[in-house]
Amino acid sequence: STRRRLAARVMRADPDAYQPFLEIDSSHEDQIDSVWSTYLSDVESTAAWGGQLELQALATGLRVPIEVFTANAPSVTMGESYFGENGGVKLRVCHHRHAFGLGEHYNSAADA
């Protein structure tokens, strides 16, 4: 999708901001460049689950804040520096750990 390609492009352009937070098996630490390249390819071209890294990259690429709601925890906003840009648009998502048997995932959220 366009958004997945955008997230990968942002992370590829600024690896120092994202690569240190990539979860990597210690047996592959000597292959970080290869693992990083594969990870970005997966972000771009598969439906692999996205998380905080991808949301931060989307906030940066879209230049909009993204507020993440999680049960039993305070909300977290990524891209706070973009408040007020793009007509004040703010994206909202809910993080679900175990909802509906789907496993961990995000859903978009809107004011009720």
PDB file of all heavy atoms in Angstrom, residues 26-56:
ATOM      1  N   SER A  26      19.814 -11.976  18.607  1.00  0.00           N
ATOM      2  CA  SER A  26      21.237 -11.732  18.873  1.00  0.00           C
ATOM      3  C   SER A  26      22.151 -12.560  17.971  1.00  0.00           C
ATOM      4  O   SER A  26      23.286 -12.164  17.704  1.00  0.00           O
ATOM      5  CB  SER A  26      21.568 -12.010  20.341  1.00  0.00           C
ATOM      6  OG  SER A  26      21.301 -13.359  20.662  1.00  0.00           O
ATOM      7  N   SER A  27      21.665 -13.663  17.449  1.00  0.00           N
ATOM      8  CA  SER A  27      22.499 -14.474  16.552  1.00  0.00           C
ATOM      9  C   SER A  27      22.660 -13.819  15.176  1.00  0.00           C
ATOM     10  O   SER A  27      23.480 -14.252  14.380  1.00  0.00           O
ATOM     11  CB  SER A  27      21.916 -15.879  16.393  1.00  0.00           C
ATOM     12  OG  SER A  27      20.668 -15.827  15.727  1.00  0.00           O
ATOM     13  N   HIS A  28      21.876 -12.747  14.904  1.00  0.00           N
ATOM     14  CA  HIS A  28      21.958 -12.067  13.600  1.00  0.00           C
ATOM     15  C   HIS A  28      22.522 -10.650  13.712  1.00  0.00           C
ATOM     16  O   HIS A  28      22.497  -9.901  12.743  1.00  0.00           O
ATOM     17  CB  HIS A  28      20.572 -11.987  12.972  1.00  0.00           C
ATOM     18  CG  HIS A  28      20.006 -13.302  12.544  1.00  0.00           C
ATOM     19  ND1 HIS A  28      20.359 -14.499  13.092  1.00  0.00           N
ATOM     20  CD2 HIS A  28      19.085 -13.600  11.611  1.00  0.00           C
ATOM     21  CE1 HIS A  28      19.687 -15.475  12.530  1.00  0.00           C
ATOM     22  NE2 HIS A  28      18.898 -14.960  11.628  1.00  0.00           N
ATOM     23  N   GLU A  29      23.017 -10.277  14.883  1.00  0.00           N
ATOM     24  CA  GLU A  29      23.495  -8.910  15.085  1.00  0.00           C
ATOM     25  C   GLU A  29      24.617  -8.533  14.125  1.00  0.00           C
ATOM     26  O   GLU A  29      24.750  -7.372  13.761  1.00  0.00           O
ATOM     27  CB  GLU A  29      23.934  -8.700  16.532  1.00  0.00           C
ATOM     28  CG  GLU A  29      22.760  -8.602  17.475  1.00  0.00           C
ATOM     29  CD  GLU A  29      23.174  -8.438  18.922  1.00  0.00           C
ATOM     30  OE1 GLU A  29      24.378  -8.499  19.226  1.00  0.00           O
ATOM     31  OE2 GLU A  29      22.269  -8.246  19.751  1.00  0.00           O
ATOM     32  N   ASP A  30      25.410  -9.508  13.695  1.00  0.00           N
ATOM     33  CA  ASP A  30      26.501  -9.216  12.761  1.00  0.00           C
ATOM     34  C   ASP A  30      25.981  -9.012  11.330  1.00  0.00           C
ATOM     35  O   ASP A  30      26.741  -8.627  10.450  1.00  0.00           O
ATOM     36  CB  ASP A  30      27.548 -10.332  12.790  1.00  0.00           C
ATOM     37  CG  ASP A  30      26.983 -11.684  12.383  1.00  0.00           C
ATOM     38  OD1 ASP A  30      25.763 -11.898  12.545  1.00  0.00           O
ATOM     39  OD2 ASP A  30      27.757 -12.521  11.908  1.00  0.00           O
ATOM     40  N   GLN A  31      24.696  -9.234  11.121  1.00  0.00           N
ATOM     41  CA  GLN A  31      24.094  -9.088   9.797  1.00  0.00           C
ATOM     42  C   GLN A  31      23.049  -7.978   9.783  1.00  0.00           C
ATOM     43  O   GLN A  31      22.084  -8.032   9.023  1.00  0.00           O
ATOM     44  CB  GLN A  31      23.440 -10.408   9.383  1.00  0.00           C
ATOM     45  CG  GLN A  31      24.376 -11.582   9.375  1.00  0.00           C
ATOM     46  CD  GLN A  31      23.604 -12.897   9.291  1.00  0.00           C
ATOM     47  OE1 GLN A  31      22.397 -12.930   9.160  1.00  0.00           O
ATOM     48  NE2 GLN A  31      24.334 -13.990   9.387  1.00  0.00           N
ATOM     49  N   ILE A  32      23.246  -6.946  10.595  1.00  0.00           N
ATOM     50  CA  ILE A  32      22.225  -5.911  10.778  1.00  0.00           C
ATOM     51  C   ILE A  32      21.819  -5.252   9.468  1.00  0.00           C
ATOM     52  O   ILE A  32      20.645  -4.984   9.245  1.00  0.00           O
ATOM     53  CB  ILE A  32      22.663  -4.858  11.821  1.00  0.00           C
ATOM     54  CG1 ILE A  32      21.525  -3.876  12.117  1.00  0.00           C
ATOM     55  CG2 ILE A  32      23.905  -4.115  11.359  1.00  0.00           C
ATOM     56  CD1 ILE A  32      20.326  -4.484  12.791  1.00  0.00           C
ATOM     57  N   ASP A  33      22.758  -4.999   8.561  1.00  0.00           N
ATOM     58  CA  ASP A  33      22.400  -4.342   7.298  1.00  0.00           C
ATOM     59  C   ASP A  33      21.476  -5.211   6.465  1.00  0.00           C
ATOM     60  O   ASP A  33      20.503  -4.720   5.877  1.00  0.00           O
ATOM     61  CB  ASP A  33      23.649  -3.969   6.502  1.00  0.00           C
ATOM     62  CG  ASP A  33      24.430  -2.843   7.159  1.00  0.00           C
ATOM     63  OD1 ASP A  33      23.828  -2.048   7.910  1.00  0.00           O
ATOM     64  OD2 ASP A  33      25.646  -2.759   6.924  1.00  0.00           O
ATOM     65  N   SER A  34      21.747  -6.493   6.438  1.00  0.00           N
ATOM     66  CA  SER A  34      20.904  -7.423   5.693  1.00  0.00           C
ATOM     67  C   SER A  34      19.530  -7.557   6.349  1.00  0.00           C
ATOM     68  O   SER A  34      18.498  -7.552   5.663  1.00  0.00           O
ATOM     69  CB  SER A  34      21.588  -8.784   5.607  1.00  0.00           C
ATOM     70  OG  SER A  34      20.746  -9.724   5.015  1.00  0.00           O
ATOM     71  N   VAL A  35      19.509  -7.655   7.664  1.00  0.00           N
ATOM     72  CA  VAL A  35      18.244  -7.766   8.393  1.00  0.00           C
ATOM     73  C   VAL A  35      17.423  -6.496   8.192  1.00  0.00           C
ATOM     74  O   VAL A  35      16.211  -6.554   7.968  1.00  0.00           O
ATOM     75  CB  VAL A  35      18.507  -8.037   9.888  1.00  0.00           C
ATOM     76  CG1 VAL A  35      17.227  -7.936  10.704  1.00  0.00           C
ATOM     77  CG2 VAL A  35      19.150  -9.406  10.074  1.00  0.00           C
ATOM     78  N   TRP A  36      18.065  -5.339   8.249  1.00  0.00           N
ATOM     79  CA  TRP A  36      17.385  -4.046   8.055  1.00  0.00           C
ATOM     80  C   TRP A  36      16.782  -3.969   6.654  1.00  0.00           C
ATOM     81  O   TRP A  36      15.632  -3.565   6.489  1.00  0.00           O
ATOM     82  CB  TRP A  36      18.372  -2.913   8.296  1.00  0.00           C
ATOM     83  CG  TRP A  36      17.849  -1.527   8.118  1.00  0.00           C
ATOM     84  CD1 TRP A  36      18.264  -0.619   7.197  1.00  0.00           C
ATOM     85  CD2 TRP A  36      16.851  -0.866   8.897  1.00  0.00           C
ATOM     86  NE1 TRP A  36      17.573   0.554   7.349  1.00  0.00           N
ATOM     87  CE2 TRP A  36      16.701   0.428   8.394  1.00  0.00           C
ATOM     88  CE3 TRP A  36      16.062  -1.261   9.970  1.00  0.00           C
ATOM     89  CZ2 TRP A  36      15.787   1.338   8.915  1.00  0.00           C
ATOM     90  CZ3 TRP A  36      15.153  -0.356  10.488  1.00  0.00           C
ATOM     91  CH2 TRP A  36      15.027   0.924   9.967  1.00  0.00           C
ATOM     92  N   SER A  37      17.542  -4.354   5.671  1.00  0.00           N
ATOM     93  CA  SER A  37      17.052  -4.335   4.285  1.00  0.00           C
ATOM     94  C   SER A  37      15.842  -5.256   4.109  1.00  0.00           C
ATOM     95  O   SER A  37      14.848  -4.884   3.481  1.00  0.00           O
ATOM     96  CB  SER A  37      18.181  -4.740   3.345  1.00  0.00           C
ATOM     97  OG  SER A  37      17.732  -4.751   2.025  1.00  0.00           O
ATOM     98  N   THR A  38      15.920  -6.447   4.676  1.00  0.00           N
ATOM     99  CA  THR A  38      14.808  -7.400   4.592  1.00  0.00           C
ATOM    100  C   THR A  38      13.587  -6.856   5.320  1.00  0.00           C
ATOM    101  O   THR A  38      12.459  -6.950   4.829  1.00  0.00           O
ATOM    102  CB  THR A  38      15.214  -8.762   5.173  1.00  0.00           C
ATOM    103  OG1 THR A  38      16.314  -9.274   4.412  1.00  0.00           O
ATOM    104  CG2 THR A  38      14.067  -9.748   5.156  1.00  0.00           C
ATOM    105  N   TYR A  39      13.819  -6.285   6.492  1.00  0.00           N
ATOM    106  CA  TYR A  39      12.724  -5.693   7.267  1.00  0.00           C
ATOM    107  C   TYR A  39      12.005  -4.615   6.466  1.00  0.00           C
ATOM    108  O   TYR A  39      10.771  -4.599   6.381  1.00  0.00           O
ATOM    109  CB  TYR A  39      13.285  -5.128   8.576  1.00  0.00           C
ATOM    110  CG  TYR A  39      12.355  -4.189   9.291  1.00  0.00           C
ATOM    111  CD1 TYR A  39      11.255  -4.666   9.985  1.00  0.00           C
ATOM    112  CD2 TYR A  39      12.583  -2.821   9.269  1.00  0.00           C
ATOM    113  CE1 TYR A  39      10.393  -3.798  10.638  1.00  0.00           C
ATOM    114  CE2 TYR A  39      11.734  -1.948   9.919  1.00  0.00           C
ATOM    115  CZ  TYR A  39      10.644  -2.439  10.594  1.00  0.00           C
ATOM    116  OH  TYR A  39       9.801  -1.571  11.239  1.00  0.00           O
ATOM    117  N   LEU A  40      12.767  -3.700   5.849  1.00  0.00           N
ATOM    118  CA  LEU A  40      12.151  -2.623   5.067  1.00  0.00           C
ATOM    119  C   LEU A  40      11.404  -3.171   3.854  1.00  0.00           C
ATOM    120  O   LEU A  40      10.331  -2.666   3.505  1.00  0.00           O
ATOM    121  CB  LEU A  40      13.205  -1.602   4.642  1.00  0.00           C
ATOM    122  CG  LEU A  40      13.798  -0.790   5.794  1.00  0.00           C
ATOM    123  CD1 LEU A  40      14.912   0.108   5.287  1.00  0.00           C
ATOM    124  CD2 LEU A  40      12.733   0.012   6.513  1.00  0.00           C
ATOM    125  N   SER A  41      11.934  -4.198   3.222  1.00  0.00           N
ATOM    126  CA  SER A  41      11.231  -4.843   2.115  1.00  0.00           C
ATOM    127  C   SER A  41       9.906  -5.424   2.586  1.00  0.00           C
ATOM    128  O   SER A  41       8.883  -5.311   1.898  1.00  0.00           O
ATOM    129  CB  SER A  41      12.073  -5.961   1.519  1.00  0.00           C
ATOM    130  OG  SER A  41      12.934  -5.472   0.561  1.00  0.00           O
ATOM    131  N   ASP A  42       9.926  -6.060   3.756  1.00  0.00           N
ATOM    132  CA  ASP A  42       8.693  -6.621   4.312  1.00  0.00           C
ATOM    133  C   ASP A  42       7.680  -5.532   4.634  1.00  0.00           C
ATOM    134  O   ASP A  42       6.481  -5.697   4.388  1.00  0.00           O
ATOM    135  CB  ASP A  42       8.988  -7.442   5.563  1.00  0.00           C
ATOM    136  CG  ASP A  42       9.683  -8.754   5.271  1.00  0.00           C
ATOM    137  OD1 ASP A  42       9.750  -9.160   4.087  1.00  0.00           O
ATOM    138  OD2 ASP A  42      10.166  -9.388   6.236  1.00  0.00           O
ATOM    139  N   VAL A  43       8.151  -4.417   5.197  1.00  0.00           N
ATOM    140  CA  VAL A  43       7.253  -3.303   5.500  1.00  0.00           C
ATOM    141  C   VAL A  43       6.583  -2.819   4.214  1.00  0.00           C
ATOM    142  O   VAL A  43       5.373  -2.593   4.177  1.00  0.00           O
ATOM    143  CB  VAL A  43       8.013  -2.141   6.185  1.00  0.00           C
ATOM    144  CG1 VAL A  43       7.164  -0.870   6.228  1.00  0.00           C
ATOM    145  CG2 VAL A  43       8.445  -2.539   7.586  1.00  0.00           C
ATOM    146  N   GLU A  44       7.366  -2.689   3.166  1.00  0.00           N
ATOM    147  CA  GLU A  44       6.855  -2.176   1.883  1.00  0.00           C
ATOM    148  C   GLU A  44       5.886  -3.114   1.188  1.00  0.00           C
ATOM    149  O   GLU A  44       4.915  -2.669   0.588  1.00  0.00           O
ATOM    150  CB  GLU A  44       8.015  -1.941   0.909  1.00  0.00           C
ATOM    151  CG  GLU A  44       8.789  -0.705   1.162  1.00  0.00           C
ATOM    152  CD  GLU A  44       9.952  -0.567   0.196  1.00  0.00           C
ATOM    153  OE1 GLU A  44      10.680  -1.548  -0.021  1.00  0.00           O
ATOM    154  OE2 GLU A  44      10.106   0.529  -0.340  1.00  0.00           O
ATOM    155  N   SER A  45       6.169  -4.396   1.222  1.00  0.00           N
ATOM    156  CA  SER A  45       5.499  -5.280   0.270  1.00  0.00           C
ATOM    157  C   SER A  45       4.721  -6.447   0.870  1.00  0.00           C
ATOM    158  O   SER A  45       4.239  -7.292   0.132  1.00  0.00           O
ATOM    159  CB  SER A  45       6.528  -5.824  -0.717  1.00  0.00           C
ATOM    160  OG  SER A  45       7.530  -6.545  -0.030  1.00  0.00           O
ATOM    161  N   THR A  46       4.595  -6.512   2.189  1.00  0.00           N
ATOM    162  CA  THR A  46       3.809  -7.593   2.789  1.00  0.00           C
ATOM    163  C   THR A  46       2.773  -6.995   3.736  1.00  0.00           C
ATOM    164  O   THR A  46       2.761  -5.787   3.974  1.00  0.00           O
ATOM    165  CB  THR A  46       4.696  -8.577   3.586  1.00  0.00           C
ATOM    166  OG1 THR A  46       5.132  -7.942   4.798  1.00  0.00           O
ATOM    167  CG2 THR A  46       5.889  -9.054   2.774  1.00  0.00           C
ATOM    168  N   ALA A  47       1.966  -7.836   4.286  1.00  0.00           N
ATOM    169  CA  ALA A  47       0.986  -7.409   5.283  1.00  0.00           C
ATOM    170  C   ALA A  47       1.505  -7.673   6.692  1.00  0.00           C
ATOM    171  O   ALA A  47       0.731  -7.787   7.629  1.00  0.00           O
ATOM    172  CB  ALA A  47      -0.333  -8.139   5.059  1.00  0.00           C
ATOM    173  N   ALA A  48       2.827  -7.750   6.838  1.00  0.00           N
ATOM    174  CA  ALA A  48       3.432  -8.004   8.152  1.00  0.00           C
ATOM    175  C   ALA A  48       2.946  -6.953   9.145  1.00  0.00           C
ATOM    176  O   ALA A  48       2.771  -5.779   8.814  1.00  0.00           O
ATOM    177  CB  ALA A  48       4.957  -7.967   8.046  1.00  0.00           C
ATOM    178  N   TRP A  49       2.743  -7.397  10.383  1.00  0.00           N
ATOM    179  CA  TRP A  49       2.239  -6.525  11.425  1.00  0.00           C
ATOM    180  C   TRP A  49       3.148  -5.322  11.609  1.00  0.00           C
ATOM    181  O   TRP A  49       4.372  -5.442  11.625  1.00  0.00           O
ATOM    182  CB  TRP A  49       2.150  -7.325  12.732  1.00  0.00           C
ATOM    183  CG  TRP A  49       1.516  -6.588  13.859  1.00  0.00           C
ATOM    184  CD1 TRP A  49       0.173  -6.452  14.084  1.00  0.00           C
ATOM    185  CD2 TRP A  49       2.161  -5.896  14.916  1.00  0.00           C
ATOM    186  NE1 TRP A  49      -0.054  -5.720  15.206  1.00  0.00           N
ATOM    187  CE2 TRP A  49       1.156  -5.357  15.754  1.00  0.00           C
ATOM    188  CE3 TRP A  49       3.485  -5.657  15.246  1.00  0.00           C
ATOM    189  CZ2 TRP A  49       1.431  -4.615  16.887  1.00  0.00           C
ATOM    190  CZ3 TRP A  49       3.761  -4.915  16.385  1.00  0.00           C
ATOM    191  CH2 TRP A  49       2.739  -4.404  17.190  1.00  0.00           C
ATOM    192  N   GLY A  50       2.588  -4.144  11.714  1.00  0.00           N
ATOM    193  CA  GLY A  50       3.342  -2.927  11.990  1.00  0.00           C
ATOM    194  C   GLY A  50       3.174  -2.541  13.442  1.00  0.00           C
ATOM    195  O   GLY A  50       2.186  -2.894  14.088  1.00  0.00           O
ATOM    196  N   GLY A  51       4.139  -1.808  13.965  1.00  0.00           N
ATOM    197  CA  GLY A  51       4.099  -1.389  15.356  1.00  0.00           C
ATOM    198  C   GLY A  51       4.519   0.051  15.521  1.00  0.00           C
ATOM    199  O   GLY A  51       4.291   0.891  14.653  1.00  0.00           O
ATOM    200  N   GLN A  52       5.175   0.325  16.629  1.00  0.00           N
ATOM    201  CA  GLN A  52       5.537   1.690  16.971  1.00  0.00           C
ATOM    202  C   GLN A  52       6.495   2.306  15.948  1.00  0.00           C
ATOM    203  O   GLN A  52       6.370   3.485  15.615  1.00  0.00           O
ATOM    204  CB  GLN A  52       6.138   1.737  18.368  1.00  0.00           C
ATOM    205  CG  GLN A  52       6.360   3.146  18.853  1.00  0.00           C
ATOM    206  CD  GLN A  52       6.677   3.216  20.326  1.00  0.00           C
ATOM    207  OE1 GLN A  52       6.533   2.247  21.060  1.00  0.00           O
ATOM    208  NE2 GLN A  52       7.119   4.377  20.772  1.00  0.00           N
ATOM    209  N   LEU A  53       7.457   1.545  15.458  1.00  0.00           N
ATOM    210  CA  LEU A  53       8.386   2.091  14.461  1.00  0.00           C
ATOM    211  C   LEU A  53       7.637   2.586  13.229  1.00  0.00           C
ATOM    212  O   LEU A  53       7.891   3.679  12.720  1.00  0.00           O
ATOM    213  CB  LEU A  53       9.406   1.038  14.018  1.00  0.00           C
ATOM    214  CG  LEU A  53      10.547   0.719  14.967  1.00  0.00           C
ATOM    215  CD1 LEU A  53      11.429  -0.372  14.373  1.00  0.00           C
ATOM    216  CD2 LEU A  53      11.358   1.954  15.252  1.00  0.00           C
ATOM    217  N   GLU A  54       6.727   1.761  12.739  1.00  0.00           N
ATOM    218  CA  GLU A  54       5.983   2.118  11.538  1.00  0.00           C
ATOM    219  C   GLU A  54       5.052   3.303  11.785  1.00  0.00           C
ATOM    220  O   GLU A  54       4.917   4.181  10.930  1.00  0.00           O
ATOM    221  CB  GLU A  54       5.190   0.904  11.029  1.00  0.00           C
ATOM    222  CG  GLU A  54       6.058  -0.223  10.515  1.00  0.00           C
ATOM    223  CD  GLU A  54       6.657  -1.102  11.607  1.00  0.00           C
ATOM    224  OE1 GLU A  54       6.296  -0.967  12.800  1.00  0.00           O
ATOM    225  OE2 GLU A  54       7.511  -1.938  11.272  1.00  0.00           O
ATOM    226  N   LEU A  55       4.422   3.344  12.963  1.00  0.00           N
ATOM    227  CA  LEU A  55       3.557   4.484  13.276  1.00  0.00           C
ATOM    228  C   LEU A  55       4.356   5.783  13.370  1.00  0.00           C
ATOM    229  O   LEU A  55       3.915   6.830  12.893  1.00  0.00           O
ATOM    230  CB  LEU A  55       2.795   4.236  14.580  1.00  0.00           C
ATOM    231  CG  LEU A  55       1.677   3.203  14.488  1.00  0.00           C
ATOM    232  CD1 LEU A  55       1.094   2.944  15.875  1.00  0.00           C
ATOM    233  CD2 LEU A  55       0.597   3.633  13.525  1.00  0.00           C
ATOM    234  N   GLN A  56       5.545   5.726  13.979  1.00  0.00           N
ATOM    235  CA  GLN A  56       6.384   6.926  14.045  1.00  0.00           C
ATOM    236  C   GLN A  56       6.799   7.361  12.645  1.00  0.00           C
ATOM    237  O   GLN A  56       6.785   8.548  12.321  1.00  0.00           O
ATOM    238  CB  GLN A  56       7.622   6.671  14.903  1.00  0.00           C
ATOM    239  CG  GLN A  56       8.532   7.886  15.010  1.00  0.00           C
ATOM    240  CD  GLN A  56       7.852   9.080  15.654  1.00  0.00           C
ATOM    241  OE1 GLN A  56       7.290   8.976  16.735  1.00  0.00           O
ATOM    242  NE2 GLN A  56       7.886  10.219  14.987  1.00  0.00           N
TER     243      GLN A  56
END
